[in-house]
Amino acid sequence: MNPSLEPRSRAGRTPRSFHGRYAQPISHQPLPQAVTNLPTHRSIVVVDVVSFTRPDRDNVDQLAIRAALYETLRDAFEDSGIPWRQTVREDRGDGVLIFVSAEVSKVLLLGPMPARLAELLERGNAKRSVRQRFRLRVVVHAGEVHHDAHGYAGYDVNLAFRLVDARPLREAMEHSAASVGLIVSEGVHDGVLRHGYGGLDAAAFERIRVQVKSADVPGWIQLFGAGVLLPIPRQAVRSVSGGESGGEPGLEPATAPVLGPVIGPVLAPAGGSGRGQDGPVAVLLADEASLLDELAGLGVRTVVLVGGAAGLAAGLAPIARQPIYIDHEFIE
């Protein structure tokens, strides 16, 4: 055998040693990819029409609602000091995803905007047909957002849509005449709301638990109607606490009967659909709220107010001054 053709180690030579990076073992792990689409921080607002696909609404009704939705949102933002032209919007059919620059204070989104939105919405609903009246659930959140050729995406966008679907918020709207139901994320609550900037009152919000798909996070809700804050209905409070507290033990949420035309108060015996205090129950149309004092004098301890969005909301304003428990049902 020709020694010159043998490996050098076998030819009596020591193999060369390698140093530095060449001495490291070869890794088969993929190299980290550079992130070219960096996120930007935005305030995130999700607006969703309550019961948009209600069976009694046809395409004409839905198109009218969509047109009114955008007009109302634009006016509410502008009136609250938030330039509509500086927002970025994605249509969602039955709602809108809105991005607001981080330069715009979230105090404007939490303070004047939802109250003004409710005011404009109710004013418009008074002029619309019953099928084209609508109410809104609104989320105020903030976080990191990616933008690509198809739109906007990211964890915080997903979380905003989980918040708008929170069961306690849905139930609060279902059992209330509120025209706007607002929910605030934990980050916005801790960073803005709880500090009381601009006169914000954190105590006016109800803390809830949001359990939607993979999300299990806290949120804070508030209801607006007839130009005032409305109380969170007991049905929603029971949902907030999972039935463990916030309601009376062993009692199920009350539901008012679906009524046809009602003339005057309808009295029900104690132990019927009413809850709370012992005594007879009265079912009133919302515009008969002036009878509350008389009913209290007759021994009535629970009143169920029934009516449409505008009328019922107006009837709820003096509730806190009444000596009897008030329950209410929103019925179109």
Side-chain angles (χ1 to χ4, degrees):
M1 179 179 293
N2 189 348
S4 64
L5 298 179
E6 290 294 301
R8 291 184 179 182
S9 60
R10 297 185 62 182
R13 296 185 181 183
T14 303
R16 286 185 297 173
S17 61
F18 294 92
H19 303 280
R21 60 193 179 117
Y22 297 106
Q24 302 299 322
I26 297 175
S27 173
H28 297 285
Q29 297 296 324
L31 294 176
Q33 299 296 316
V35 179
T36 58
N37 183 0
L38 297 177
T40 57
H41 189 83
R42 301 286 185 95
S43 294
I44 305 170
V45 178
V46 174
V47 181
D48 189 67
V49 176
V50 175
S51 301
F52 181 73
T53 57
R54 225 172 50 196
D56 63 324
R57 287 175 174 155
D58 57 24
N59 286 348
V60 174
D61 297 321
Q62 293 183 2
L63 289 173
I65 290 172
R66 284 168 50 81
L69 170 64
Y70 276 92
E71 180 181 359
T72 305
L73 285 172
R74 181 198 64 206
D75 292 345
F77 271 62
E78 290 283 350
D79 293 349
S80 303
I82 307 169
W84 185 245
R85 67 184 180 279
Q86 294 182 12
T87 64
V88 178
R89 302 170 294 278
E90 280 193 356
D91 185 78
R92 295 297 170 122
D94 60 349
V96 189
L97 171 61
I98 305 172
F99 298 102
V100 183
S101 170
E103 297 177 356
V104 176
S105 174
K106 297 174 185 64
V107 174
L108 301 178
L109 291 170
L110 296 175
M113 191 278 288
R116 181 58 174 163
L117 180 61
E119 181 182 357
L120 293 173
L121 184 56
E122 291 173 3
R123 184 184 303 173
N125 280 342
K127 303 175 184 178
R128 299 183 187 109
S129 65
V130 173
R131 298 194 319 192
Q132 295 180 7
R133 296 172 186 167
F134 61 100
R135 303 185 298 152
L136 299 172
R137 295 193 304 274
V138 178
V139 172
V140 175
H141 179 43
E144 302 304 313
V145 177
H146 290 277
H147 181 248
D148 59 21
H150 308 289
Y152 291 84
Y155 168 82
D156 286 300
V157 176
N158 296 338
L159 179 57
F161 281 97
R162 303 295 179 259
L163 292 169
V164 81
D165 278 334
R167 179 181 173 186
L169 177 61
R170 287 181 172 274
E171 293 192 352
M173 294 297 289
E174 179 183 353
H175 297 286
S176 169
S179 55
V180 171
L182 173 67
I183 180 168
V184 176
S185 69
E186 182 178 23
V188 173
H189 172 273
D190 292 350
V192 181
L193 180 59
R194 76 180 183 91
H195 299 286
Y197 297 126
L200 294 174
D201 182 12
F205 287 74
E206 183 81 31
R207 188 180 191 275
I208 66 167
R209 184 177 181 182
V210 180
Q211 293 178 294
V212 180
K213 295 185 177 179
S214 60
D216 188 352
V217 297
W220 283 260
I221 64 175
Q222 195 175 57
L223 302 180
F224 295 86
V228 297
L229 288 177
L230 298 181
I232 305 299
R234 291 191 177 187
Q235 290 90 337
V237 173
R238 286 175 62 87
S239 177
V240 169
S241 59
E244 297 298 331
S245 61
E248 297 178 359
L251 293 175
E252 295 299 322
T255 55
V258 179
L259 303 175
V262 179
I263 302 176
V266 178
L267 296 181
S273 64
R275 295 183 291 116
Q277 307 292 334
D278 292 334
V281 178
V283 179
L284 295 180
L285 290 178
D287 56 7
E288 296 174 320
S290 60
L291 297 176
L292 291 176
D293 289 331
E294 296 180 25
L295 292 172
L298 295 174
V300 174
R301 290 294 174 265
T302 302
V303 171
V304 179
L305 290 177
V306 180
L312 182 52
L316 293 176
I319 282 178
R321 300 191 296 271
Q322 301 301 327
I324 54 184
Y325 169 69
I326 306 295
D327 204 347
H328 40 83
E329 288 292 330
F330 172 75
I331 298 178
E332 289 283 3

